[in-house]
């Protein structure tokens, strides 16, 4: 060993790099978006206590030595009844089918006494029928008694589809490094698909819409139906380095519009205020945010709206 040899700063050559694509799937509210943000080390996907907030696929990237791990946050998988739900579930499975490994995330609080919830069982059945193996991550260990975690782990292990079971908390980060290390070891050899310092991929216009949507949900709770949607209508770069964004919150009925506006427009002002603060932090520049509320009755049947959310129109 030569004493004055120092570690080189040169990045690995292409032959040494590896790159894996991993899908995070799970029931609504399992904590997929929280985990993705933790993995990427930044906020990419919106997190709310209300179900079904992730509409389309969002990429989060983690680096582990010579390995680039690309994670995709998918809409929650559940038993779809309506067209929008079916489109989201399809997008989730498309993400999973293409992946090198599938991470099934489970919220142990949803099932009773160590039993898995129905949505998780649906996922397990689908994995079985497509003969896919996956990694199980029992999430929210910070909030679940150890006993029921162990029971749930044993119960799901007996299904025979999981190669490995992890107990993690996306919120505190507990156990997340172990998952990354395990997946990194399974990433195939290949060039990195993103620059080393990139944390994720979500178009800025979509990010703005998602943040507004999150703030609206957080402020209005159950008063806002989950099919309320937000679109960025205008994005104008200004000479002084700031950006002017116009976004519209679409609801389905006049009554919902009144709720979003609030008395004297106070509610929408509050939504816009907190969305702007967060967007300025994320975009690292001044943001002028203008919000509108419109009623669009039939958007659930309009193919164009689906394309805007990155979803496929289908039956
Ligand atoms: P998604 O629907 O699967 O994307 O779930 P989200 O990431 O939006 O999280 C749903 C809810 O679970 C939010 O209220 C989160 O704060 C909460 N949550 C997510 N991860 C954890 C965790 O590790 N521990 C606890 N206690 N709560 C969590
Ligand atoms: Mg989500």
């Amino acid at each position: 060993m030569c004493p004055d040899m120092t570690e080189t700063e040169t990045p690995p050559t292409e032959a040494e790099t590896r790159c894996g694509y991993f899908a995070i799937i799970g029931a609504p509210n399992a904590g997929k978006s929280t985990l993705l943000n933790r993995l990427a080390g930044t906020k990419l996907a919106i997190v709310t206590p209300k179900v079904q907030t992730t509409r389309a696929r969002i990429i989060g990237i983690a680096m582990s030595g010579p390995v680039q791990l690309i994670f995709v946050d998918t809409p929650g998988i559940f038993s779809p009844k309506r067209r929008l739900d079916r489109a989201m579930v399809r997008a989730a499975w498309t993400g999973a089918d293409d992946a090198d490994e599938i991470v099934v995330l489970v919220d142990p609080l949803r099932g009773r006494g160590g039993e898995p919830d129905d949505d998780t069982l649906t996922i397990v059945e689908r994995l079985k029928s497509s003969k896919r193996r996956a990694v199980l991550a029992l999430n929210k260990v910070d909030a679940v008694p150890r006993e029921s975690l162990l029971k749930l782990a044993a119960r799901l292990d007996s299904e025979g589809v999981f190669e490995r079971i992890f107990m993690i908390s996306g919120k505190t980060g507990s156990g997340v490094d172990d998952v990354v290390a395990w997946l990194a070891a399974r990433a195939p050899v290949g060039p990195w698909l993103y620059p080393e310092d990139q944390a994720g991929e979500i178009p800025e216009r979509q990010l703005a819409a998602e943040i507004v949507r999150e703030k609206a949900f957080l402020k209005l709770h159950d008063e806002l139906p989950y099919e309320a949607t937000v679109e960025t209508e205008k994005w104008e770069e200004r000479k002084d380095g700031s950006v002017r964004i116009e976004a519209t919150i679409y609801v389905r009925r006049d009554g919902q519009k009144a709720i979003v506006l609030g008395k004297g427009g106070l509610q929408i002002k509050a939504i816009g205020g907190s969305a702007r603060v967060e967007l300025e932090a994320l975009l690292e520049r001044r943001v002028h945010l203008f919000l509108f509320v419109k009623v669009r009755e039939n958007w659930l049947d309009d193919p164009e709206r689906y394309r805007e959310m990155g979803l496929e129109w289908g039956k």
Side-chain angles (χ1 to χ4, degrees), residues 217-236:
F217 273 117
L218 290 176
K219 287 248 177 327
L220 301 168
H221 307 285
D222 290 334
E223 289 180 281
L224 189 67
Y226 98 87
E227 57 288 337
T229 182
V230 179
E231 281 171 31
T232 303
E233 317 273 3
K234 268 198 194 138
W235 186 285
E236 189 193 332

Side-chain angles (χ1 to χ4, degrees), residues 261-281:
L261 288 172
K263 271 203 189 94
L266 281 179
Q267 199 62 265
I268 195 160
K269 244 183 227 154
I271 293 166
S274 50
R276 182 185 53 78
V277 168
E278 184 150 340
L279 277 169
E280 288 190 332

